[in-house]
């Protein structure tokens, strides 16, 4: 039924164009309806007629034609007439008795008479054009009005008084005040003022100009005495006047009526925030409107008085006045002379519009916005118009209306678009950003609800251009967070789960992108990368103030947007059909979607592909907030799955960490409480209640728990600063402390030494925790009676510690975000200091380096120990070569801090830096030593080029003198290890100058003596200088008088008469130095070394050699010992040799002979002195050595010694008799030469020990190598302890043996000849074999020979372990070269048992691999043959499936299934596996794999697969098959698992079931349906139940013969009419067409096969005979339950005749009396009743099909409404209407929300049918009650299933619904319907 529209008052007001067309008569307006009588309203009964011309005319100075203003004022100004005078014509006025008559009339209650007397008196005052007032009469009138004014409601009296004051321009002020006081008192006592008051007010406010130069003046309204009267007139209008600031903002000067409006604003002005108008004021305005409506018709044309506009301004509080003005503005704006008045009029209108209280203001706003912008080019109008729009939009409701109108214009036809539309929107957004954005969201939501997907593209384009234009206009910032929140709220209030929310998500996601795109264009510096990264020097770039503010505003807005989006999405879960769509909405709206096409690939996208990456970066720079994360973590509100919650928070955190701006000093997230967020996030990892109960202690997901800790680490340290409250957090969580410890140490493993606990203790604690966790898991399993979820662990308490299983993610993030540097900078608590105290500075070096590389200024917080290790790291020679700019900055900072540390004066215990640097100079590690030298070169640079650093500057460090002796001793030790001779010389020179001033210079001398253990010629001079200075100092300062008091570390030396103390090692060191000193080089240059000469003179002068004093006896002993003399004999200085020979005895000569490398002269003297030495006590070996040495010396020219040689030879011959027959080893000499062996040994030892030799080592010849091996092997063979002796090779030997083939062969030959020696001396064997192995890689001959040796050795003996590996390698190479390759034997596995056994063996073996497992699987699938006698174990099948999934695993389950199900599967293998897995539901199997396997099997072998999987042989009869119900149940469980995760498999599963049903018949469909129903009712998993219910609905739609009741597992049955879906739909169409009386051919009646139709099957072509044979093998009998096959074919073409159908009621069914020609049958009625019967059956059995035709039934009711009663009775159409109502009741639960509109239509038409036909009395009470009951039931059902639409429908038809309810007896449905009709609310 159509609702009648309310007729607005404005419809009666004619527009100017209408008035022109009507050519109305230009008569003056009237407000009078007569000369007396009762008033029109509110007690004012009399009406005045102002149409007479008895009023006082104006006195124009010019003619009316010459004064247009006068003419216009006369036409527009409301005219006052004098018809009120007729009211007092019956009164004879007597002034003397006037008062008495008035008193008598008052006593008699004749107030009408009194009014007439007053009118007559007032009439008498007018004498011509003058007014003669009788004061006595006025006093009586005033007194009477004051006391009885409430009874004087006669309108002529009021008009008389108003007439007097309106013509009082020339009256005295006292007279005017008297009249005004009287009328004010009278008006005050009236409940409602008559319209004459408004007439008089307008008459005076418009005024009239009476001549040139005069102004339109007011007579009384501006008087002070009339303020109360004016207020009573204007109060009902409630006009709001413009504020003074509004005039200034218009940028227009000289407003015409601003002062006039300001005057009235002070008197009667209202505030803008006014409440709705009161009823009293509304009644008063209704009275005034009676005058205003005809008066509006006079205000037309172009000649108008300017005071008219000021009068209209005063009345603009009334919406009808505003509407009138708005309709006239388009014309008035064209008149430039009125622009200033119109400008003020616009300001007043804008101040008063409030669409929230007045519906007419909506139309006014539309009119204002549609004004012709071409006429507003002048600033006089444009400024006020703009200000008016701004003022209008100060009311929130107005904003929505304004923007709605602009939106319609901009998105509508092209002719409605204007450039000012968007400009106006920009202005509103600038002034009211929040309200305007909310209004835009509301408008767009309405458009989205109405047009849905048809408008998405348009809305996206509109918002994109709107935001771009808004930012280009630089008007402000668009609050897209407010838009998102408002749009979400509107969608939620709608409450319908459909695609609208998805459209809203896509639209909202574009707004921040559009904003960013606009900002990058208009404010490009705000998000420039150059302002996000520090400069190369580490300085923060200076960001412009405007850019910084824009950046901060957007960051705050984006954070607010994210918070509101998360909040709204969490509330909207019920509006999403699919959980995946719900989860993906978070990714889309928070810009976490990895597929960027969702943002850029849509039409009208806000950004392009090239811009999206930059946008994502900016979003990441905005960061995250604590509130965002808490909303996701809140368990009671969030509806996200557990994994999605973890992933969402992790993704947000990682994005914020990745793009966190480096220039800020903010943490990644600001928290308000220390533990709230962390605890909430960790609790998210606890299993939901649906997966595990909440016991004490709870259990959580292990993977999620440690992922959460990774995210928490990023919260804490991924920003530029550490999170607040970190000290409290750090102290509470031991897990956090351990993770931070791993990050700082760069050791990501468990266990580590931690908090004073050793590795073993950490392992023990974790073992205890694991035991406790095991008991907790067992408790849960006992409680749940099933296994706990995978990856379960006990949820740790806050103070508990658990070992992290994998730290790879934390390692990755620590390297990526430099977490170690952030933690190292932390001072609360001081993590770096704690780390150093726990693991030491050196182990903390990684954290220090990373901190310095991030911020070099942090060097200030480093301790001296850290500074030292950092400098040593950075000044390593290799790192100096690889240093970059960052390292240079770090080094400078460290050097600066080291200088500060060295210059400070601290206690010596804390002087770590200086001591460490000096100690490193003496380090044996060359890298440490070089790093220390490089550091000192920066700290103490030297001006001399040959010095690496200045030791003098080092000694000037304030704390150097405190430990000077110790430092001198270390520097002296540095000489020994330093390889740079220049640096060593500088050490010695420094010690020579500075060490003599110490209190104990002997200590330094002792240290320097150690340097003589090496032979470096370059140091000899410096050493001589030092020792000479040392001896001189001792001669001065250390003379001894009492030798017994001498320290044991000192030796007393006697120089003549002086006894001095020297260090014990000094004498021998000086002698050794003098012996090795090569003075010939200096002598050749003509330069002598004074220090050498001085030492030589002191210690080795002939006849002046000092003596050593024995400390015990005091006796003098020889200074030169035998060892010294041996050393001196090697000297090249003859004076040293001569000194060694002084006092030489024969016994000493025996020892001297064994000294090698003597000069020829020295050897001559020594051998000569040893001629007669005794030989009887010398062993054979020494004699042999003497013999060789003497022969060697004689070969070089020594003459003496011949006798001695003979003696030695004779002595050796005598000793040969006592030598054992077998030597300890057999040495074969290879190419020996005549050079003495002792010479070679000594020279090699010297070359080996000297590390200061700058000369290149010469290559050793193979002969020399052989000799060296012979000699050293002999020495080693004589050693008693071969295991501890060291076998070392010279560098030249090693180089030659490795790089020369002949030399390496010589070594190998020596090993082959002396195998016995080398097998017993492992060190020598290992050293040589390694060298030969290296040479074998270069030389083939060496390799072949070594392979032969290795083969022979390994066959005969067991070599030492150290060389066995090398020998085995070469022996294997030898065998491999001769051995033929053996092909792998094929694996023969043909049964599942064999395969299972092979897999188990492979898994248990040590060489298990995936390749071998894959080979087993492939071979088995090829060779499998079904053995009829084999009993296949299901466990073997599961092992096979697990193996094939393992070797063919892919990225997900779908890919794995596709790889597994290749063409390798034979028919027998498919059959066995498929049949076995359907015997039982295996939870460990991948459901997708099972589904794909069954689907592929059924597709390739349709009949065979069905028979094998779902049929069994009957136990009693082996030839018969029965259905396997267990297979159906298990198959459905697998299918539900597949469809639980995604809806994409639903259709595939239903198609598979339908295919199986086509093979097995209706029984198959029935069993599948029953299995689904039982699963939906009784399965313990809610997800499985929901999935089964969804699949069951789809199956019923595909197999319409299935019927069931939800929730009852035993309710499923097969309908009688078994038919296909297509047949059922066609039958439904035929019956509905018959019900709605569609015009059809009369020959077409209901055929007997309307409910049964043969399902024509397509012939399947079987290409392979094997498949046909296999199909026949499994039986081709169709199940007996299938009723579609068999029997005679249907008789197509034969229709049901009249005889086959039931006859009408009351008619006899006598076949004999029926004659078709005599008694015609009512064919139409019979066919209709039959169709209705079948319709009821369809309604019961197939509601899903019938609802598709319901709109046809709903429209049919409207056709019936137009019929008469006779037509209703003919076709039982009332029954059809009742049937349609019954359809509403049945179909409502099956209808989707978008299908409910047809229900609304049907019920509306049925109510109209009830009103027209049922309720008019054409039917009985019983029929009326039955129809009413059915109607109310239908309304209640509609209300239950579509509340919002049904409630709106009921309220629109509540009167008719109330009438229907009065006929009903079902109080429940009646109360439900009436409660939602809103009878207590006012109708709209």
């Amino acid at each position: 039924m159509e609702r009648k529209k309310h007729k607005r008052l404005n419809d009666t007001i004619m527009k100017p164009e209408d008035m022109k067309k009507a050519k109305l008569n230009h008569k003056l307006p009237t407000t009078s309806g007569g000369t007396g009588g009762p008033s029109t309203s509110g007690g004012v009964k009399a009406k005045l007629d102002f149409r007479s011309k008895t009023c006082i005319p104006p006195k124009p100075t010019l003619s009316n034609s010459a004064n247009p203003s006068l003419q216009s004022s006369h036409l527009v100004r409301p005219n006052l007439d004098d018809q009120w005078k007729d009211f007092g014509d019956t009164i004879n006025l007597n002034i003397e008795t006037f008062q008495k008559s008035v008193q008598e009339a008052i006593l008699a209650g004749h107030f009408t008479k009194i009014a007439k007397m007053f009118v007559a008196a007032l009439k008498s005052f007018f004498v011509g054009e003058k007014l003669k007032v009788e004061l006595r009469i006025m006093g009586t009138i005033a007194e009477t009005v004051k006391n009885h004014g409430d009874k004087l409601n006669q309108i002529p009296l009021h008009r008389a008084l108003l007439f007097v004051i309106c013509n009082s321009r020339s009256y005295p002020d006292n007279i005017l005040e008297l009249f005004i006081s009287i009328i004010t008192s009278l008006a005050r006592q009236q409940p409602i003022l008559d319209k004459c008051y408004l007439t008089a007010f307008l008459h005076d406010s418009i005024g009239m100009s009476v001549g040139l130069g005069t102004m339109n003046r007011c007579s009384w309204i501006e008087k002070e005495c009339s303020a109360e009267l004016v207020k009573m007139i204007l109060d009902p209008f409630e006009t709001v006047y413009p504020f003074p600031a509004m005039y200034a903002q218009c940028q227009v000067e000289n407003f015409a009526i601003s002062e006039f409006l300001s005057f009235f604003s002070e008197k009667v002005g209202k505030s803008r925030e006014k409440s709705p108008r009161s009823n009293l004021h509304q009644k008063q305005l209704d009275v005034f409107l009676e005058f205003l409506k005809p008066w509006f018709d006079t205000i037309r044309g172009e000649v108008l008085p300017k005071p008219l506009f000021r009068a209209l301004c005063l009345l603009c509080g009334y919406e009808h006045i505003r509407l009138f003005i708005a309709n006239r503005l388009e014309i008035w704006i064209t008149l430039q002379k009125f622009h200033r008045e119109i400008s003020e009029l616009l300001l007043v209108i804008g101040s008063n519009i409030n669409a929230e209280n007045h519906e007419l203001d909506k139309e006014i706003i539309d009119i204002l916005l549609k004004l012709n912008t071409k006429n507003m080019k002048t600033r006089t109008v444009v400024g006020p118009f703009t200000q008016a729009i701004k003022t209008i939009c100060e009311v929130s409701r107005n904003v929505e209306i304004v923007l709605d109108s602009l939106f319609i214009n901009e998105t509508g036809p092209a002719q409605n678009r204007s450039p000012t539309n968007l400009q106006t929107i920009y202005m509103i957004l600038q002034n009211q950003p929040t309200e305007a954005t909310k209004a835009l969201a509301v408008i767009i939501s309405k458009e989205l609800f109405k047009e849905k997907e048809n408008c998405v593209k348009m809305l996206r384009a509109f918002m994109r251009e709107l935001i771009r234009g808004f930012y280009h206009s630089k008007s402000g910032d668009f609050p897209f967070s407010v838009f998102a929140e408002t749009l979400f709220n509107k969608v939620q209030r709608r409450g319908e789960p459909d695609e609208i929310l998805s459209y809203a998500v896509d639209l909202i996601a574009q707004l921040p992108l559009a904003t960013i795109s606009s900002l990058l264009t208009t404010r490009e510096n705000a998000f420039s990368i150059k302002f996000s990264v520090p400069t190369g020097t580490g300085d923060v770039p200076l960001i412009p103030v405007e850019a910084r503010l824009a950046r901060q505003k957007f960051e705050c807005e984006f954070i607010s947007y994210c918070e509101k989006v998360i909040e709204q999405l969490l509330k909207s879960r019920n509006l999403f059909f699919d959980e995946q769509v719900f989860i993906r909405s978070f990714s889309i709206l928070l810009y976490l979607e990895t597929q960027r096409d969702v943002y850029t690939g849509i039409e009208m996208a806000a950004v392009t592909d090239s811009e999206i990456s930059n946008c994502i970066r900016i979003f990441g720079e905005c960061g995250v907030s604590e509130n965002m994360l808490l909303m996701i973590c809140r368990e009671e509100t969030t509806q996200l799955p557990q994994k999605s919650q973890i992933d969402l928070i992790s993704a947000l955190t990682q994005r914020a960490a990745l793009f966190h701006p480096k220039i800020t000093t903010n943490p990644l997230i600001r928290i308000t409480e220390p533990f709230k967020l962390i605890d909430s996030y960790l609790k998210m990892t606890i299993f939901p209640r649906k997966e595990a109960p909440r016991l004490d202690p709870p259990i959580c997901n292990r993977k999620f728990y440690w992922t959460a800790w990774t995210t928490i680490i990023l919260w804490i340290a991924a920003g530029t600063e550490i999170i607040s409250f970190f000290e409290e957090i750090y102290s509470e969580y031991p897990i956090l402390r351990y993770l931070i410890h791993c990050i700082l140490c760069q050791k990501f493993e468990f266990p580590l030494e931690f908090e004073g606990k050793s590795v073993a203790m950490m392992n023990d604690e974790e073992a205890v925790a694991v035991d406790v966790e095991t008991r907790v898991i067992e408790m849960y399993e006992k409680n749940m009676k099933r296994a706990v979820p995978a990856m379960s662990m006990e949820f740790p308490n806050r103070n508990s510690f658990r070992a992290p299983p994998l730290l790879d993610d934390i390692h990755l993030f620590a390297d990526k975000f430099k977490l170690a540097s952030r933690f190292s900078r932390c001072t609360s608590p001081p993590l770096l200091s704690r780390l150093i105290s726990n693991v030491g500075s050196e182990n903390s070096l990684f954290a220090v380096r990373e901190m310095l590389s991030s911020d070099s200024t942090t060097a200030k917080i480093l301790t001296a120990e850290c500074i030292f290790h950092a400098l040593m790291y950075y000044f390593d020679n290799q790192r100096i070569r690889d240093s970059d700019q960052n390292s240079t900055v770090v080094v400078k900072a460290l050097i600066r801090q080291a200088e500060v540390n060295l210059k400070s004066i601290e206690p010596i215990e804390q002087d770590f830096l200086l001591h460490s640097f000096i100690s490193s100079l003496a380090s044996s590690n060359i890298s440490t030593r070089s790093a220390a030298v490089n550091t000192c070169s920066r700290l103490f640079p030297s001006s001399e080029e040959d010095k690496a650093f200045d030791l003098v500057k080092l000694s000037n460090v304030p704390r150097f003198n405190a430990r000077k002796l110790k430092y001198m001793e270390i520097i002296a030790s540095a000489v020994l290890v330093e390889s740079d001779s220049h640096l060593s010389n500088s050490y010695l020179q420094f010690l020579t100058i500075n060490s003599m001033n110490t209190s104990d210079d002997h200590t330094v001398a002792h240290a320097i003596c150690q340097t003589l253990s090496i032979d470096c010629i370059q140091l000899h001079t410096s050493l001589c200088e030092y020792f000479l200075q040392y001896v001189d100092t001792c001669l001065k300062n250390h003379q001894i008088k009492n030798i017994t008091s001498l320290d044991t570390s000192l030796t007393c030396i006697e120089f003549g008469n002086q006894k001095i103390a020297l260090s014990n090692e000094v004498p021998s060191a000086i002698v050794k130095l003098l012996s090795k000193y090569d003075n010939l080089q200096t002598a050749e240059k003509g330069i002598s070394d004074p220090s050498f000469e001085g030492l030589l003179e002191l210690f080795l002068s002939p006849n002046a050699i000092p003596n050593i004093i024995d400390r015990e006896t005091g006796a003098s002993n020889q200074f030169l010992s035998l060892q010294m003399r041996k050393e001196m004999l090697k000297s090249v200085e003859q004076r040293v040799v001569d000194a060694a020979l002084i006092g030489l005895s024969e016994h000493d000569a025996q020892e001297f002979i064994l000294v090698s490398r003597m000069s020829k002269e020295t050897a001559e003297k020594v051998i000569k002195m040893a001629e007669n030495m005794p030989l009887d006590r010398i062993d054979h070996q020494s004699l042999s050595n003497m013999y060789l040495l003497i022969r060697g010396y004689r070969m070089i020219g020594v003459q003496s010694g011949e006798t001695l040689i003979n003696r030695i030879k004779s002595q050796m011959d005598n000793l040969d008799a006592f030598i054992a027959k077998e030597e300890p080893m057999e040495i074969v000499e290879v190419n020996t030469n005549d050079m003495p062996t002792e010479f070679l040994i000594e020279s090699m030892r010297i070359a080996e020990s000297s590390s200061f030799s700058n000369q290149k080592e010469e290559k050793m010849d193979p002969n020399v190598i052989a000799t060296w091996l012979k000699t050293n092997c002999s020495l080693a063979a004589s050693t008693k302890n071969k295991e501890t002796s060291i076998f070392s090779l010279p560098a030249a030997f090693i180089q030659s043996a490795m790089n020369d083939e002949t030399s390496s062969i010589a070594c190998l030959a020596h090993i082959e000849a002396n195998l016995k020696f080398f097998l017993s001396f492992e060190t020598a064997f290992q050293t040589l074999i390694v060298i030969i192995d290296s040479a074998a890689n270069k030389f083939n001959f060496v390799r072949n020979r070594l392979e032969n040796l290795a083969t022979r050795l390994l066959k005969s003996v067991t070599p030492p372990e150290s060389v066995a590996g090398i020998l085995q390698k070469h022996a294997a190479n030898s065998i491999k070269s001769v051995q033929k390759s053996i092909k792998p034997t094929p694996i023969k596995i043909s049964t599942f048992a064999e395969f299972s056994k092979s897999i188990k063996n492979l898994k248990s073996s040590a060489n298990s691999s995936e390749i071998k497992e894959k080979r087993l699987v492939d071979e088995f699938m090829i060779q499998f043959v079904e053995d009829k006698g084999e009993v296949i174990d299901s466990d073997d099948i599961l092992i096979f499936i697990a193996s094939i999934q393992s070797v063919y695993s892919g990225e997900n389950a779908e890919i794995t299934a596709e790889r597994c199900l290749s063409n390798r599967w034979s028919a027998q293998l498919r059959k066995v596996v498929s049949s076995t897995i359907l015997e039982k539901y295996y939870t460990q199997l991948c459901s997708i794999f099972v589904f794909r396997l069954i689907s592929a099997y059924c597709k390739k072998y349709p009949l065979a697969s069905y028979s094998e999987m779902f049929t069994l042989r009957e136990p009693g009869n082996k030839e018969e098959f029965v259905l396997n119900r267990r297979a159906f149940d298990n198959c459905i469980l697998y299918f539900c698992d597949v469809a639980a995760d995604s809806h994409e498999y639903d259709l595939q599963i239903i198609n598979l079931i339908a295919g199986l049903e086509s093979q097995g018949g209706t029984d198959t469909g029935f069993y599948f349906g029953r299995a689904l129903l039982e699963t939906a009712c009784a399965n313990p998993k809610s997800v499985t139940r929901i999935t089964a219910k969804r699949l069951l609905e789809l199956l019923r739609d595909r197999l319409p013969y299935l019927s069931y009741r939800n929730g009852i597992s035993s309710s499923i049955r097969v309908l009688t009419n078994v038919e296909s879906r297509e047949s059922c739909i066609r039958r439904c169409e035929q019956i509905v067409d018959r019900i709605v009386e569609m015009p059809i051919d009369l020959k077409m009646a209901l055929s007997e096969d309307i409910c049964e139709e043969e399902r024509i099957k397509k012939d399947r072509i079987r290409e392979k005979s094997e498949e046909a044979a296999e199909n026949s093998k499994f039986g081709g009998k169709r199940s007996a339950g299938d009723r579609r096959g068999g029997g005679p074919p249907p008789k197509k073409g034969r229709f049901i005749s009249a005889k086959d159908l039931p006859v009408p009621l009351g008619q006899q069914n006598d076949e004999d009396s029926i004659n078709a020609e005599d008694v015609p049958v009512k064919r139409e009625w019979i066919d209709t009743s039959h169709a209705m019967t079948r319709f009821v059956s369809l309604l019961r059995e197939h509601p899903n099909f019938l609802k598709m035709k319901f709109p046809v039934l709903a429209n049919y009711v409207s056709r019936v409404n137009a019929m008469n009663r006779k037509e209703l009775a003919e076709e039982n159409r009332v029954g059809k209407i009742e049937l349609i109502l019954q359809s509403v009741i049945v179909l409502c639960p099956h209808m989707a929300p978008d299908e409910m509109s047809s229900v609304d239509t049907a019920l509306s038409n049925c109510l109209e049918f009830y009103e027209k036909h049922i309720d008019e009395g054409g039917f009985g009470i019983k029929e009326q009650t039955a129809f009413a009951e059915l109607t109310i039931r239908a309304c209640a059902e509609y209300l239950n299933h579509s509340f919002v639409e049904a409630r709106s429908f009921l309220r629109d038809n509540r009167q008719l619904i109330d009438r229907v309810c009065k006929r009903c007896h079902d109080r429940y449905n009646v109360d439900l319907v009436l409660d939602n009709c809103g009878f207590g609310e006012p109708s709209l």
Side-chain angles (χ1 to χ4, degrees), residues 1490 1554 1734:
V1490 174
R1734 293 302 178 90

Side-chain angles (χ1 to χ4, degrees), residues 691-820:
E691 297 186 21
R694 294 291 175 88
L695 305 179
D696 187 25
I699 59 174
C700 64
N701 188 302
R702 186 186 306 274
K703 179 181 178 182
F704 294 162
Y705 183 80
W706 293 110
T707 303
W709 271 115
T710 303
T711 304
I712 292 170
I713 289 291
L714 294 182
W715 291 348
I716 294 174
T720 50
E721 292 293 335
I722 296 292
I723 196 171
S724 54
F725 305 104
F726 175 64
E727 188 169 8
E728 294 91 329
I729 296 171
Y730 182 82
S731 62
E732 284 293 323
Y733 297 100
I735 293 177
L736 175 64
R737 296 197 295 272
Y738 185 83
L739 295 177
I740 294 176
H741 181 74
C742 293
I743 292 172
L744 291 175
C745 293
Q746 197 65 3
K747 296 179 180 178
F748 298 92
E749 59 187 24
F750 180 86
L752 296 174
E753 292 185 1
F754 176 63
E755 295 184 348
K757 300 176 183 178
S758 64
V759 172
M761 294 173 63
M762 296 292 290
N763 276 327
D764 294 341
E765 290 184 2
E766 179 61 19
V768 173
V770 170
D771 292 339
V772 174
E773 180 182 287
T774 303
R775 291 193 293 270
V776 171
I777 297 298
E778 292 175 353
M779 177 188 70
Y780 271 86
E781 291 180 343
K782 183 177 180 181
N783 182 277
M784 297 166 58
K785 297 181 180 180
R786 57 183 174 87
V788 297
M791 303 294 292
S792 297
M793 67 174 285
E794 179 188 356
F795 181 76
N797 295 326
R798 185 183 293 177
N799 296 322
S800 302
F801 176 79
R802 290 303 305 274
L806 288 176
L807 295 171
D808 294 342
D809 291 341
I810 293 182
H811 188 183
L812 177 65
F813 289 133
D815 293 342
K816 188 173 185 179
F817 300 117
K818 306 296 182 185
L819 299 183

